[in-house]
Amino acid sequence: MLDSSAVLAYLWNEPGSETLRPHMRDGRISSVNVVEVVSKLIDHGLTGDAAKLMLAGLDLATVPFDRSQAQLAGTLRSQTRRLGLSLGDRACLALALLEKARIITADRAWSKVSLGLEIEVIR
């Protein structure tokens, strides 16, 4: 499972991005994280169409955000508020918890998340 920070690190060739290459072909991402990635790309000057094309070029499987993920993400608020995790972060965590999947992120705050998940911080 890829967090939006990891996808952005890869797209912008930031430190740690080289470790993501093997995960880009079979990676999965929450639809909420897709919103974050496209929004950040637009914030950095890309058009909406260019941002969508850039993300589409990665061929990541997008998992729709459903009710069970939404409810779980909501309940994670109390456990993640002190870390400053966003709705997108909690959506990724919820999906990983439900699928019992490992998460890859570029956000160091995630190293303090204690939910029984395997979380790899790339930098």
Side-chain angles (χ1 to χ4, degrees):
M1 191 70 47
L2 295 167
D3 174 46
S4 54
S5 65
V7 174
L8 289 166
Y10 180 80
L11 290 172
W12 292 331
N13 201 31
E14 292 178 345
S17 63
E18 63 282 351
T19 65
L20 295 167
R21 192 163 282 110
H23 305 286
M24 286 299 150
R25 287 286 175 226
D26 62 351
R28 294 169 52 80
I29 186 170
S30 167
S31 59
V32 177
N33 294 114
V34 170
V35 174
E36 286 189 324
V37 170
V38 171
S39 297
K40 288 291 186 182
L41 291 172
I42 290 170
D43 287 350
H44 280 80
L46 274 70
T47 66
D49 287 340
K52 289 188 292 187
L53 280 172
M54 188 176 230
L55 186 59
L58 297 179
D59 199 29
L60 295 171
T62 301
V63 180
F65 192 61
D66 64 19
R67 179 179 289 224
S68 61
Q69 293 169 51
Q71 290 174 336
L72 182 52
T75 66
L76 291 173
R77 177 69 173 153
S78 61
Q79 295 165 276
T80 61
R81 177 183 288 151
R82 68 178 174 77
L83 301 174
L85 299 190
S86 69
L87 170 61
D89 296 337
R90 288 182 284 125
C92 183
L93 286 167
L95 181 57
L97 282 165
L98 290 168
E99 293 190 353
K100 297 175 179 46
R102 177 175 69 127
I103 296 175
I104 302 173
T105 184
D107 188 343
R108 288 187 196 126
W110 286 48
S111 64
K112 297 175 184 159
V113 171
S114 181
L115 295 171
L117 287 169
E118 182 183 354
I119 298 173
E120 178 183 342
V121 181
I122 63 167
R123 56 179 174 208

